[in-house]
Amino acid sequence: MKLIYVSANERPYTDGCGILTGSIHPEDNNKLVAVTTMSPAGCPHVNGFKVDNWKQNLRVIYQCFVWSGSAETRKRKAKSCICHMCGAHLNRLHSCLYCVFFACFAKKHIHEHAKSKRHNLAIDLLYGGIYCFMCQDYIYDKDMEQIAKEEQRKAWKMQGEKYSTWEPTKRELELLRHNPKRRRITSNCTIGLRGLINLGNTCFMNCIVQALTHTPLLRDFFLSDRHKCEMQSNSCLVCEMSQLFQEFYSGHRSPHIPFRLLHLVWTHARHLAGYEQQDAHEFLIAALDVLHRHCKDDNGKKANNPNHCNCIIDQIFTGGLQSDVTCQVCHGVSTTIDPFWDISLDLPGSSTPFWPLSPGGDGSALNGESHTTGATTLTDCLRRFTRPEHLGSSAKIKCSGCHSYQESTKQLTMKKLPIVACFHLKRFEHSAKLRRKITTYVSFPLELDMTPFMASSKESRMNGQYQQTVDPFNNDNKYSLFAVVNHQGTLESGHYTTFIRQHKDQWFKCDDAIITKASIKDVLDSEGYLLFYHKQFLEYE
């Protein structure tokens, strides 16, 4: 072990084996950090596995239980891959590399097996990574990685996968050698920041474009040239968005003129055509709908979202909203799950009654929102959105249990969370008697935990098991704020601006063509109309 001096700008970090693997930017001061160093050979415990026919044995595991190339292997994997301790299919199943034993990683059943049998290596059956229980981390071994890649390519070929790993051509290698200078992204880098010219009351479009171009996974998709257009390029909104991302991340500082984007929106969403001011929320939904229609995957494959679509829009923005209708007589429950791109939340001050909320109750403290000033919080709005609602005698439903029309209650919860959660605060009220803007201040946090609003949390409460505690290891439902759209002015005359996060704790205000530095206080003190949150932790397939 040796001590390494760490500056305030950079801190080394290691993998589970103690190999110095890179650096992160810390939030603390200069300090000495103890780093265990090891030879470049990698994990020392792999050699115990590399005996006899280890390569062939590893290939069989990849072929049969990890990369499912044919329908037969997929069926075999679905039937055989269950935890040998609890019988579960999920909870990150791992297979012991020394014996035929499958067990849960999340519930630590595979850890118990490794400890009792002294079998130190296991393979993740979903992603193919090798885990060492001695190093307590996923490891890299050149020989094993080569086998994994070969078997994955074979499986992709059998499935007719249209994406393959990129290999540089001779021409590309030559260009890289002759151009050794690389664009380096630093904490002060302004690449990606670019103003947009207002083409006549088009601030509603500009603010949404700023939010979308700073959505991390959407940016990665378009900058990696993943879109394969099957339309005429001059009529495809996805092609135009791809060009827009190229413009934003080209390094040019002059404002961009999005006239082609405006023309395509008018063409495909005619209700938005014209130079009058439009609603930014309406534009967001229309843009996502057109993008979804233009880039959805027609190969018939089912994706892991309620809309069963593999397009990039649904992968990022689609969640599942669960609706439970409970009969008040027999207490039978009818459940439906619907896809959603955003969640619209009622505000105090609207004609819709807003229930009284007790300070700090049921999730407010968890999300770091303050009730000291009496302000309504985003958590308050979500609690109201997910509370049980009595439908009344005028809205009786026919109960499948009672076989008659009965009064019932309805409750909405989140069955599946999207990667990007967009919250629409309903500030514009339109009714037969009333047209106005609601200016109620709503406090929203930089980090949001959606666990209290999940369907699983509701089920735990009903079983008497749910306890609302801060679990530092459960990050599945935690989000970080990355964009806020604001509206200034009245219902008849107003203007849209956007706060976007460029790097951690670095925020900028986008006001059409003008980009200015903003503080976190500026962001959190703003009125808020559309709030964009990104999941903090993702698992990649």
Side-chain angles (χ1 to χ4, degrees), residues 356-414:
L357 297 163
S358 58
D362 201 15
S364 301
L366 180 65
N367 283 318
E369 297 164 313
S370 173
H371 280 83
T372 53
T373 60
T376 301
T377 69
L378 177 61
T379 301
D380 290 336
C381 298
L382 285 167
R383 286 169 56 205
R384 184 191 186 282
F385 182 79
T386 56
R387 69 169 181 172
E389 177 187 1
H390 187 69
L391 297 181
S393 57
S394 60
K396 290 183 178 181
I397 61 160
K398 188 171 183 178
C399 175
S400 57
C402 301
H403 304 291
S404 60
Y405 287 91
Q406 303 290 351
E407 291 190 24
S408 58
T409 60
K410 179 180 179 181
Q411 184 173 11
L412 299 174
T413 50
M414 310 297 161

Side-chain angles (χ1 to χ4, degrees), residues 2 48 61 108 162 274 278-279 305 340 347 387 531 541:
K2 65 178 180 179
I61 294 176
K108 296 192 179 295
K162 63 182 179 181
Q278 302 287 352
D279 179 27
N305 65 59
F340 69 88
L347 301 181
R387 69 169 181 172
L531 310 175
E541 293 188 9

Side-chain angles (χ1 to χ4, degrees), residues 298-447:
D298 292 322
N299 288 339
K301 287 189 276 184
K302 295 289 181 88
N304 186 26
N305 65 59
N307 217 24
H308 301 305
C309 177
N310 268 326
C311 79
I312 190 62
I313 299 302
D314 279 310
Q315 288 186 48
I316 294 175
F317 293 96
T318 298
L321 189 66
Q322 179 169 316
S323 173
D324 295 318
V325 178
T326 306
C327 173
Q328 292 300 285
V329 176
C330 70
H331 302 292
V333 180
S334 174
T335 299
T336 57
I337 300 173
D338 297 305
F340 69 88
W341 279 333
D342 73 313
I343 298 170
S344 294
L345 301 171
D346 288 314
L347 301 181
S350 68
S351 57
T352 305
F354 197 85
W355 67 328
L357 297 163
S358 58
D362 201 15
S364 301
L366 180 65
N367 283 318
E369 297 164 313
S370 173
H371 280 83
T372 53
T373 60
T376 301
T377 69
L378 177 61
T379 301
D380 290 336
C381 298
L382 285 167
R383 286 169 56 205
R384 184 191 186 282
F385 182 79
T386 56
R387 69 169 181 172
E389 177 187 1
H390 187 69
L391 297 181
S393 57
S394 60
K396 290 183 178 181
I397 61 160
K398 188 171 183 178
C399 175
S400 57
C402 301
H403 304 291
S404 60
Y405 287 91
Q406 303 290 351
E407 291 190 24
S408 58
T409 60
K410 179 180 179 181
Q411 184 173 11
L412 299 174
T413 50
M414 310 297 161
K415 180 63 176 178
K416 181 183 184 299
L417 292 172
I419 293 174
V420 169
C422 175
F423 299 104
H424 165 227
L425 304 183
K426 294 162 72 172
R427 296 199 173 277
F428 303 124
E429 190 169 41
H430 303 271
S431 64
K433 298 180 180 179
L434 201 60
R435 291 184 74 254
R436 62 179 181 136
K437 179 185 174 184
I438 300 168
T439 58
T440 305
Y441 173 71
V442 175
S443 169
F444 50 91
L446 284 173
E447 296 188 348

Side-chain angles (χ1 to χ4, degrees), residues 273-294:
Y275 285 102
E276 64 272 11
Q277 180 65 277
Q278 302 287 352
D279 179 27
H281 173 246
E282 191 175 1
F283 177 82
L284 170 67
I285 299 304
L288 291 180
D289 179 58
V290 176
L291 287 169
H292 159 72
R293 287 189 276 119
H294 286 192

Side-chain angles (χ1 to χ4, degrees), residues 97-117:
L97 285 185
Y98 297 88
C99 63
V100 183
F101 187 88
F102 302 151
C104 303
F105 190 92
K107 293 184 178 179
K108 296 192 179 295
H109 291 158
I110 192 68
H111 297 70
E112 294 173 22
H113 171 79
K115 186 176 180 180
S116 62
K117 299 292 185 180

Side-chain angles (χ1 to χ4, degrees), residues 5 31 46 55 153 156 221 238 279 307 322 424 432 485:
Y5 180 77
K31 60 175 68 174
V46 172
K55 289 186 178 181
R153 287 195 192 103
W156 281 351
F221 175 84
V238 188
D279 179 27
N307 217 24
Q322 179 169 316
H424 165 227
V485 172

